[in-house]
Amino acid sequence: VGLLGAGACLALQPWAQPEANQADCAVRVITTEELPHGAIRLFAGRAHKALAQQIADELGVSLSGVTTSRFKNGETGVLVHESVRDCDVFIVQPTCNPCPNDYLMELLITMDAIRRGGAARITAVVPIFGYARQDKKDQSRAPITAKLVADMLHLAGADRVITVDLHASQIQGFVNY
């Protein structure tokens, strides 16, 4: 499946026989609402809105509405402004400097809100995977924080994680989803 502009994509439609091979397929344009996981929704965290906007422009979709706020006690609040029920949701949020803890919590809270909103599938797009350098137990009583972050992403609702910068390829083995 390849993406076209304006939220449409190409799909191969086999002719009437289920045993048809690829040579017997016709090409038709379908909308994102017809995709197996529903319409695409793309959300941007505060860490890199420009990157999320570039991705949205490339896909031909608009960024979905979300507001992130900070309570007086320092906690992060997230409010999703549109329905995500039965949608294929992507959240773009690097977890890097200058404040990886804040960005990570914002991502986790956003995923939880979207999961509770009934999304069909959630993909965390994390170009820089924070805590990736803590990928092994190099001293007694040291945590493996990269594994903890992978587990937290799954617990918050991630079905998939797309990342570019992994400190070590062994982090791929930390993911159980």
Side-chain angles (χ1 to χ4, degrees):
V1 176
L3 289 174
L4 298 173
C9 68
L10 289 176
L12 294 176
Q13 179 71 23
W15 296 110
Q17 293 112 9
E19 63 276 349
N21 63 33
Q22 284 186 328
D24 297 328
C25 292
V27 176
R28 72 180 180 93
V29 176
I30 62 172
T31 64
T32 58
E33 283 75 17
E34 296 177 272
L35 293 171
H37 295 285
I40 292 175
R41 297 285 186 265
L42 180 63
F43 290 89
R46 292 184 296 173
H48 206 318
K49 286 187 183 243
L51 174 62
Q53 186 60 59
Q54 288 175 343
I55 294 169
D57 293 345
E58 188 68 29
L59 293 176
V61 299
S62 59
L63 286 176
S64 297
V66 63
T67 301
T68 305
S69 59
R70 183 159 315 272
F71 293 104
K72 288 182 181 182
N73 65 358
E75 293 177 0
T76 300
V78 172
L79 180 62
V80 176
H81 296 293
E82 60 190 76
S83 175
V84 293
R85 182 161 311 284
D86 298 326
C87 291
D88 193 3
V89 177
F90 294 80
I91 307 165
V92 180
Q93 176 77 327
T95 55
C96 58
N97 288 335
C99 39
N101 295 332
D102 291 345
Y103 294 151
L104 178 60
M105 280 307 298
E106 180 183 337
L107 175 60
L108 295 170
I109 294 168
T110 303
M111 284 193 306
D112 183 65
I114 289 170
R115 179 179 54 87
R116 292 174 192 276
R121 182 171 66 177
I122 300 172
T123 303
V125 181
V126 186
I128 300 172
F129 192 88
Y131 295 95
R133 290 184 176 161
Q134 299 179 45
D135 60 340
K136 61 185 168 292
K137 189 172 177 76
D138 55 359
Q139 305 178 38
S140 182
R141 296 173 302 283
I144 303 174
T145 312
K147 170 66 171 155
L148 175 64
V149 170
D151 288 347
M152 290 189 323
L153 291 170
H154 180 60
L155 185 62
D159 295 298
R160 302 180 304 171
V161 175
I162 298 173
T163 189
V164 177
D165 182 22
L166 284 177
H167 178 67
S169 60
Q170 69 194 25
I171 294 172
Q172 296 174 55
F174 295 167
V175 178
N176 299 322
Y177 47 98

